[in-house]
């Protein structure tokens, strides 16, 4: 299967080339030229498989260059003992119509692990398929979660090195400690004196420096990125929608063939787009509910067809959803229109004016497939308290946004359809906000919050987050933003 650019001005490539490149040379995103279609027998067969085999069955439909055995080995390495639940993506029924799909049992306790544990292995296999002999060095600028998940994903993966830059004063103490104590022989973490934009601008200018690329080439290295627009991060996410549906059928939440709704806490639109692919493939998905926090640009877009990022930016207690430009939306616009010139026009408008209008026809198409909703920060916190009191279920701030949006929708419509809420982070990752939501008063700000939440609720904290304060700090250096390239050069000397 070939992959084409959403902007239509780049040549089609193979899956492995799409994974190596990340973004297409015309600035577009790679999408499969057709969406594979499955039948009822495919879903019934998945029902008897474990998560790894389910993921292989879905991935091999998209990655035809990879053999079944190759993908089986990759999935076994990606989804194993590094997850603290053998189900990998367990479904927790909350009542007769609702379940939480927990995507945070991996090594960094957030759903990014579902893709970043497997993507580095897909990338190294792709490099081999294309005869690349140099070592790839992944550069990441992070505001928190992605950096740690990428470090864990690439740590000690042969043929790779990874260097992460984070803003010195722009991440939480837990996030900083998670990165500073990172294990692995091929990793490096450096703070930048500046904010996230400085770190991101620094990384972009390193990528753009052709002379530096030549120097690194002479040393046997080249640079790449692992951000969420890479198809190698999107494809693995399709699998958990299939897995969740099978588990909902097993739990009696849906009858065989009956459709299930999914409610997704959304930022960059990657997670929910994977659900849309699953639906297009033939999985019985009813509605995809796109849940936003106070940064509700997507709610407005689904309602009006106008995407407008000219609005105040809100810092919320669900920071991974504090996003005004949802990059993966470009893939949906392309798939629904099949018209790269139209997509180019929308993206040019977004660059120039910060907005675009898809018009009534496309708006209706989008509304037929997505339901939008948002909730205020205070309401998400109240939802954490409600679920804990009523069901004894502890959820994080991002999951709470989705849970609340679903509850409001059901209230408005007066019907309760079978729905899986995607749970994207461990509540212990955002311990301060969760404690506050439970009415606890705390003076802590650091890793002690993890223990405090465990003590208050009696829920065990995930291993990777306990004892963070006692782990050895390996990376405590920082650089001025002008010195970032020098730091990369030293790392790859
Ligand atoms: C990244 C992230 C999201 C948003 O996912 P997108 O694919 O960007 O829409 C939601 N919750 C958490 C905890 C995340 O880390």
């Amino acid at each position: 299967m070939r992959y084409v650019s959403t902007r239509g001005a780049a040549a089609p490539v193979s899956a492995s080339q799409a994974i190596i490149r990340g973004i297409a040379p015309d600035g577009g995103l790679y999408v499969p030229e057709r969406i594979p279609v499955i039948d009822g027998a495919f879903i019934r067969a998945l029902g008897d498989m474990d998560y790894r085999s389910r993921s292989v069955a879905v991935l091999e439909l998209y990655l035809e260059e990879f053999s079944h055995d190759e993908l089986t080995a990759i999935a076994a390495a990606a989804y194993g003992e590094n997850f603290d639940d053998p189900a990998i993506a367990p479904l927790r029924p909350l009542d007769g119509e609702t379940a939480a799909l927990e995507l945070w049992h991996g090594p960094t306790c957030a759903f990014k692990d579902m893709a970043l544990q497997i993507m580095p292995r897909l990338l190294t296999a792709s490099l081999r398929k294309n005869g690349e002999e140099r070592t790839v060095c992944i550069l990441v600028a992070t505001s928190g979660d992605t950096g740690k998940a990428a470090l864990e994903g690439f740590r000690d993966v042969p043929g790779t090195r990874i260097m992460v830059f984070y803003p010195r004063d722009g991440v939480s103490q837990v996030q900083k400690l998670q990165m500073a104590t990172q294990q692995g022989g091929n990793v490096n973490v450096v703070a930048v004196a500046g904010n996230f934009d400085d770190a991101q601008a620094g990384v972009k200018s390193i990528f753009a420096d052709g002379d530096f690329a030549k120097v690194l080439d002479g040393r046997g290295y080249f640079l790449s990125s692992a951000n969420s627009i890479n198809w190698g991060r999107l494809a693995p996410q399709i699998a958990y929608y299939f897995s969740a549906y099978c588990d909902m059928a097993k739990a009696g939440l849906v009858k065989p063939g009956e459709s299930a709704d999914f409610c997704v806490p959304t930022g960059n639109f990657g997670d929910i787009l994977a659900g849309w692919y699953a639906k297009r493939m033939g999985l019985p998905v009813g509605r995809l509910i796109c849940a936003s926090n106070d940064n509700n640009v997507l709610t407005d877009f689904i309602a009006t067809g106008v995407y407008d990022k000219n609005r105040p930016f809100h810092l919320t207690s669900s920071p991974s959803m504090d996003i005004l430009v949802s990059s993966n939306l470009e893939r949906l616009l392309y798939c629904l229109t099949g018209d790269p010139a139209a997509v180019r026009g929308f993206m040019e408008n977004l660059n120039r004016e910060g907005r675009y209008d898809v018009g009534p026809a496309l708006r209706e198409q989008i509304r037929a497939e997505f339901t939008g909703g948002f909730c205020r920060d205070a309401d998400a916190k109240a939802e954490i308290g409600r679920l804990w009191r009523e069901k004894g279920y502890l959820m994080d701030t991002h999951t709470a946004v989705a849970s609340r949006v679903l509850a409001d929708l059901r209230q408005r419509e007066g019907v309760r359809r079978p729905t899986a809420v995607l749970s994207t982070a461990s509540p212990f990752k955002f311990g301060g906000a969760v404690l506050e939501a439970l009415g606890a008063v705390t003076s802590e700000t650091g890793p002690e919050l993890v223990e405090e939440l465990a003590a208050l609720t009696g829920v065990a904290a995930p291993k990777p987050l306990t004892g963070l304060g006692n782990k050895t700090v390996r990376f405590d250096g920082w650089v001025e933003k002008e010195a970032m390239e020098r730091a990369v050069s030293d790392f790859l000397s």
Side-chain angles (χ1 to χ4, degrees):
M1 187 187 319
R2 314 278 293 166
Y3 284 73
V4 297
S5 165
T6 50
R7 300 195 192 174
V13 296
S14 67
S16 64
Q17 287 165 336
I19 291 169
I20 291 171
R21 288 197 182 163
I23 194 161
D26 60 358
L29 309 189
Y30 285 115
V31 291
E33 64 185 347
R34 61 182 169 76
I35 297 175
V37 173
I38 52 89
D39 57 15
F42 178 89
I43 297 169
R44 281 193 297 280
L46 289 189
D48 298 324
M49 297 179 190
D50 64 9
Y51 188 81
R52 290 176 223 177
S53 305
R54 288 172 179 175
S55 76
V56 170
V58 173
L59 277 175
E60 64 191 353
L61 299 173
Y62 285 97
L63 308 177
E64 289 164 347
E65 291 163 278
F66 293 70
S67 73
H68 179 78
D69 288 350
E70 195 177 8
L71 285 174
T72 301
I74 287 174
Y79 303 127
E81 298 290 303
N82 49 344
F83 278 68
D84 70 6
D85 189 308
I88 307 298
L91 185 86
R92 308 266 182 238
L94 298 176
D95 58 39
E97 302 89 23
T98 322
L101 173 63
E102 294 182 351
L103 302 172
W104 42 263
H105 289 277
T108 76
C109 310
F111 102 101
K112 305 282 190 292
D113 288 331
M114 296 301 299
L116 276 166
Q117 282 298 302
I118 195 165
M119 185 266 190
R121 296 176 168 90
L122 294 174
L123 175 62
T124 48
S126 297
L127 293 171
R128 278 199 305 277
K129 286 178 198 305
N130 287 274
E132 179 62 65
E133 284 170 358
R134 294 171 299 173
T135 298
V136 61
C137 179
I138 303 295
L139 286 192
V140 182
T142 185
S143 54
D145 287 348
T146 303
K148 177 65 184 175
L151 284 163
E152 274 300 322
F154 279 93
R155 93 184 228 199
D156 294 329
V157 173
T160 75
R161 306 195 80 181
I162 176 164
M163 184 147 185
V164 170
F165 292 100
Y166 69 88
R168 192 175 54 180
D169 305 312
V171 301
S172 78
Q173 210 183 330
V174 169
Q175 288 174 320
K176 189 183 275 192
L177 271 174
Q178 275 192 299
M179 290 189 278
T181 58
Q182 177 66 42
Q183 299 289 301
N186 63 339
V187 306
N188 196 5
V189 179
V190 180
V192 178
N195 59 25
F196 173 65
D197 289 335
D198 295 323
Q200 173 135 309
V203 164
K204 279 192 179 156
S205 81
I206 297 171
F207 276 124
D209 185 342
D211 292 335
F212 187 51
K214 283 196 199 103
V215 171
L216 293 182
D217 182 59
R219 301 184 196 164
Y221 290 103
F222 73 103
L223 300 175
S224 186
S225 85
N227 63 25
S228 75
I229 52 178
N230 192 308
W231 181 255
R233 278 188 60 181
L234 202 106
Q237 298 182 342
I238 301 171
Y240 52 70
Y241 285 88
F242 280 86
S243 182
Y245 182 84
C246 293
D247 291 342
M248 287 176 85
K250 277 196 176 155
L253 283 161
V254 289
K255 296 181 203 70
E258 188 190 356
S259 69
D261 289 358
F262 288 88
C263 186
V264 188
T266 298
N268 217 5
F269 208 74
D271 199 359
I272 195 167
L273 186 67
W276 181 81
Y277 273 98
K279 182 177 183 180
R280 276 289 162 112
M281 289 168 72
L283 186 71
V285 175
R287 290 199 294 201
L288 291 161
I289 302 162
C290 176
S292 300
N293 62 20
D294 288 287
N295 296 295
N296 58 354
V297 59
L298 285 167
T299 317
D300 290 346
F301 174 64
I302 293 167
T304 64
V306 176
Y307 194 98
D308 190 348
K309 75 172 175 103
N310 304 305
R311 58 177 70 214
F313 177 79
H314 299 281
L315 285 172
T316 74
S317 50
S318 42
S320 299
M321 299 162 71
D322 291 343
I323 281 183
L324 291 181
V325 176
S326 298
S327 314
N328 271 298
L329 194 57
E330 180 169 346
R331 285 195 162 105
L332 179 74
L333 298 174
Y334 175 80
C335 292
L336 291 179
T337 60
D339 181 355
V343 173
R344 244 183 354 255
F346 297 148
M347 293 305 129
E348 277 164 16
N349 267 329
L350 185 64
N351 258 339
R352 221 175 28 240
E353 296 160 28
R355 74 193 291 282
Y356 57 89
D357 183 347
V358 299
L362 184 50
R363 179 189 70 209
E364 289 315 307
Q365 260 182 296
I366 292 167
R367 288 178 58 148
E369 314 219 22
F370 293 90
T371 304
F374 77 103
C375 86
R376 300 283 180 210
D377 212 38
D379 293 334
K381 286 204 179 121
E383 183 73 357
I384 295 175
R386 183 180 77 83
L387 264 289
W388 177 245
R389 284 192 310 274
E390 292 180 6
K391 320 250 181 226
Y393 186 75
L394 194 60
M395 58 172 50
D396 95 293
T397 47
H398 303 76
T399 310
V401 168
S403 183
R404 176 64 188 238
V405 165
L406 175 65
D408 288 350
L409 193 67
R410 283 173 165 175
Q411 174 100 44
R412 264 203 315 279
E413 297 181 336
V415 282
R416 297 175 63 85
R417 295 185 24 79
T419 307
V421 173
L422 274 62
S423 177
T424 49
S426 160
F428 290 90
K429 197 148 191 185
F430 300 92
V434 173
L435 277 165
E436 195 187 310
L438 299 181
V441 181
T442 176
S443 55
E444 302 294 353
T445 54
E448 297 80 12
L449 288 168
V450 173
E451 277 81 30
E452 203 171 317
L453 183 57
L456 180 76
T457 58
V459 177
K463 264 234 194 66
L465 294 178
T466 55
L468 254 186
N470 306 324
K471 290 193 178 145
T472 310
V473 170
R474 296 182 65 207
F475 304 103
D476 57 1
W478 62 275
V479 296
E480 298 289 351
K481 55 187 191 233
E482 296 76 19
M484 288 169 64
E485 186 169 288
R486 179 63 201 276
V488 175
S489 180
D490 289 348
F491 180 49
L492 302 179
S493 61

